[in-house]
Amino acid sequence: MQYSSKELEKSWQEYWSQNRSFEPSEDFGKEKKYILSMFPFPSGRLHMGHVRNYTLSDAFARYYRQQGFNVLHPIGFDSFGMPAENAAIKNGSHPKKWTYDNIDYMKGEFKSLGFSFSKERELATSDELYTKFEQGFIIDMYEKDLLYRKKGFLNWCESCHTVLANEQVIEGCCWRCDNQVVKKDMNQYYFKITKYADELLDDLHKLEGGWPKQVLTMQENWIGRSNGLEFKLRFDDESLSKLGKNFEGFDVFTTRPDTIYGVSYTALAPEHEIVTYMIENLLIDDESITRIKEMKNASSIDRQKEKSGIALNLSVTHPLTGKKVPVWVANFVLMDYGSGAVMAVPAHDERDFDFAKKYDLPINAVIKPFDGELESDKAYTEAGELFNSEIFNGMNSKDAQSKIIDYFEEKKIGKKTTNYKLKDWGVSRQRYWGAPIPFVHCESCGIVMEKKENLPIALPEDIEITGEGNPLEKHPTWKQCKCPKCGNDAVRETDTMDTFVESSWYFLRFCASPKNWQDEAFSKEQIKYWMGVDHYIGGIEHAILHLLYARFFTKVFRDLGYLEFDEPFDRLLTQGMVLKDGAKMSKSKGNTVDPDAIIEKYGADTARLFILFAAPPTQELEWNDSAVEGAYKFIKRFYDRSANVRKMDTLVNIEHNSLSKDEKFARKKVYEALVRAEDVYTQRYTFNTMIAGVMEAMNALNLQSNEDVWSEGYWILSSIMEPVIPHVCWEISKRCFSLKNMTPQKVIEEVFVEDSITLGVSINGKRRCEIEVSLDAPQDEILEIAKKEAHKWLEGKTLIKEILVPKKLVNLVVKD
């Protein structure tokens, strides 16, 4: 009986395909499990990160099918996006052909790895049918005032020629190509995600226990809710006159109202409307205008590094003291947070302190330590006692915060306010390969929604991709249309949607049955049955972008009446990266491993076993060629030793008490592996410990020769290992058990009942050896066995005392 992975795996892959083995049932009376991995972008080939992700989800899916659940385990392709367009530019191909050719190739890889995905619910987000439903949702959101268009300074990637959302700017660079991001003034469509800021934050507690704490913290920090004081700083008469009385002043927000008496200057963002007005009206000199434009074009990260500013020669009046406070433009002030203006208190804020030192601005301390003196060479940012603060002198700075807010509200010069770091989600992209935004620009009617009966608004295929601008803008006919409202000539919107829109609801689309796939995105009945996702698996790099947006869409769809729940993913597993030579695998580093090559040499089961055995899922996994070889050898051994099993259709009944010590030990290790497996699949997810338990059981089986014990062992072990190495387990199960063991396995408690016990033997309190005795052995017999085993430490000694501590140890006291 020779193990041949190629023949064995191919035959079972065909069997599963022909028998629809992995399609979910339409019986909604069954208990369900929805197992989902974050779907891939079809870049052409799977990498080992993909293999790890999908092997994990496949293990869960296969386990729960064995347990009798109705399992939905779908896959799709996040197929819109800039890489396809960039590849088209590079290779002279069409983005659609490049994308769908890659999808076909990756489907073949999925099959060769034995992944148990539903074939009948596959999707690609670039499918016109998917676009049709998505555009309908966008229209619904626009009608509910959850989508709007406005002009603003946006994150622009010159390399990708498109706008990026704040979440897609990583340390000042494009999340996709890693090039520097600049600011650009242009129109943009926005989702009102800020309308859900409180709910997105407050509902994080519902996910505790099911989501990693790290992800919850990352989302909490990104939303960034903070309570504080908002008030207006009003210009003095001279500044009002200089600005032509077009601005009374500007609003500021602070989380430190206790420092209000320490304000020594204020600062505006380079994009602030007052700064823009001054530039347009030449109220600032040319050199300063140039420097302000440089600030605008710098990334948010760069603007936080070295502090830079320009005095505007304007002053506002302090709301409590009446003193004049100078107004500056500062690069560290961003329009993304608050009003794009700050009150600066250099004595108690490190950033403000650095700026004040650089430009020789006043530093007015108003808080001192409860014990000790203030240091003049740095900002004091801790709690302390107020001074130089008029009626609030002597007050604890923490207590003073609410008191000062109350004082502002009492005087009607300010109010308590909640602010958020989270900003509305900009979704316009100036690229071709994306879902068209379903709006029309009409000279008479303005921006008009397309009629739903005209959907989908599909992309034209006869375009030329050059990398210069948006091909939809240059298409001779596509954007010409009639206004859905008045019927006059109009122009289609040429911006396409951020691809994160597609991934924000794809998990709902999978819930649609093949029966209604063409007619609706999903039905309430199906959504109610399948959602939420029981196990969602993917990288922690999606903690903010995808996961936050998916939560937002779920809440929006709830409010639109499509569904009735608040959160999409019940449990989240974030797997670690796959490394080689200590670094993340990448083509540029030349340290990638081709899954196809591993399958060709060792088989899919070997790749799967190594992935799950090498490290716990949440930890980084270091690729190890010798460990891959070891995984292959174990599978071969596992297959070969199935020759010790006799064919049976039901689990053999074994009289445990009649077995030898080695036979009992083998049964015990088999059932220990079963107990561990149940815990791993339902609680801990440490597949490596489960596999180690199976290996221990195999070693124990090998120490005995009872055919019944071997048969029982394989009945259980091949069931346990089927989610990990399915091809070889189905082969063994078919040959030995007619596939009858692919069912829930019951633990037999009698195998854990010990009929002997091991006791330590000490001489004068020092442990020397061990003895194994029957549980019901009398004391005299135990002492005799102990003395016999420890005889060499008793020679020439006088035994003066024999002590037995029941079920623990024997201590023999001797003297020379």
Side-chain angles (χ1 to χ4, degrees), residues 380-536:
Y380 178 71
T381 59
E382 304 299 320
E385 179 185 331
L386 263 62
F387 70 105
N388 291 336
S389 299
E390 298 182 349
I391 63 173
F392 301 100
N393 284 341
M395 190 174 290
N396 182 304
S397 59
K398 291 291 185 185
D399 297 335
Q401 292 187 3
S402 60
K403 298 294 183 184
I404 290 173
I405 292 175
D406 291 342
Y407 187 73
F408 267 78
E409 291 188 327
E410 189 179 308
K411 297 288 185 181
K412 295 185 173 17
I413 56 173
K415 61 181 179 180
K416 183 177 181 179
T417 305
T418 301
N419 243 338
Y420 304 88
K421 290 181 181 177
L422 179 70
K423 296 301 170 188
D424 281 342
W425 173 14
V427 294
S428 304
R429 298 295 178 266
Q430 293 68 44
R431 297 300 292 262
Y432 163 75
W433 192 238
I437 298 175
F439 293 107
V440 168
H441 297 272
C442 173
E443 287 189 7
S444 302
C445 307
I447 297 178
V448 182
M449 296 178 294
E450 185 54 87
K451 292 180 179 178
K452 284 191 176 182
E453 56 263 33
N454 294 335
L455 301 180
I457 307 303
L459 292 169
E461 295 190 24
D462 56 335
I463 46 89
E464 184 180 0
I465 305 286
T466 64
E468 297 295 325
N470 184 350
L472 295 178
E473 282 280 2
K474 301 173 183 177
H475 194 278
T477 60
W478 181 83
K479 65 180 181 180
Q480 309 304 323
C481 65
K482 297 295 183 181
C483 173
K485 192 172 183 180
C486 70
N488 291 331
D489 289 344
V491 177
R492 291 202 184 284
E493 175 59 67
T494 57
D495 282 357
T496 53
M497 280 185 276
D498 180 5
T499 56
F500 279 96
V501 176
E502 280 84 69
S503 60
S504 294
W505 68 279
Y506 80 106
F507 47 90
L508 299 173
R509 174 62 172 155
F510 284 135
C511 296
S513 163
K515 294 178 181 177
N516 68 326
W517 191 259
Q518 298 292 324
D519 303 322
E520 56 184 347
F522 44 76
S523 71
K524 276 193 173 182
E525 179 191 24
Q526 292 156 351
I527 287 288
K528 189 173 182 179
Y529 175 69
W530 286 116
M531 290 296 293
V533 176
D534 296 281
H535 288 281
Y536 196 37

Side-chain angles (χ1 to χ4, degrees), residues 13-14 17 40-47 50 54 74-79 98-127 510 517 596 599:
Q13 288 159 13
E14 291 303 319
S17 179
F41 177 79
S43 57
R45 285 178 177 267
L46 295 179
H47 55 67
H50 288 133
Y54 305 134
I75 193 64
F77 298 89
D78 194 10
S79 50
W98 182 86
T99 297
Y100 283 91
D101 283 351
N102 288 346
I103 287 173
D104 289 341
Y105 188 87
M106 291 173 77
K107 283 182 181 179
E109 289 184 299
F110 289 154
K111 183 176 181 180
S112 69
L113 282 158
F115 294 146
S116 62
F117 295 130
S118 165
K119 296 284 192 300
E120 296 172 5
R121 300 184 188 223
E122 285 180 352
L123 62 83
T125 57
S126 52
D127 295 343
F510 284 135
W517 191 259
D596 289 349
I599 294 170

Side-chain angles (χ1 to χ4, degrees), residues 519-570:
D519 303 322
E520 56 184 347
F522 44 76
S523 71
K524 276 193 173 182
E525 179 191 24
Q526 292 156 351
I527 287 288
K528 189 173 182 179
Y529 175 69
W530 286 116
M531 290 296 293
V533 176
D534 296 281
H535 288 281
Y536 196 37
I537 302 155
I540 199 167
E541 65 269 20
H542 299 293
I544 294 171
L545 286 163
H546 163 58
L547 290 170
L548 184 66
Y549 293 156
R551 295 181 62 225
F552 164 64
F553 256 66
T554 299
K555 295 176 189 303
V556 168
F557 279 17
R558 176 203 61 200
D559 292 346
L560 291 172
Y562 303 146
L563 45 86
E564 299 175 353
F565 48 88
D566 301 323
E567 293 290 337
F569 311 123
D570 296 343

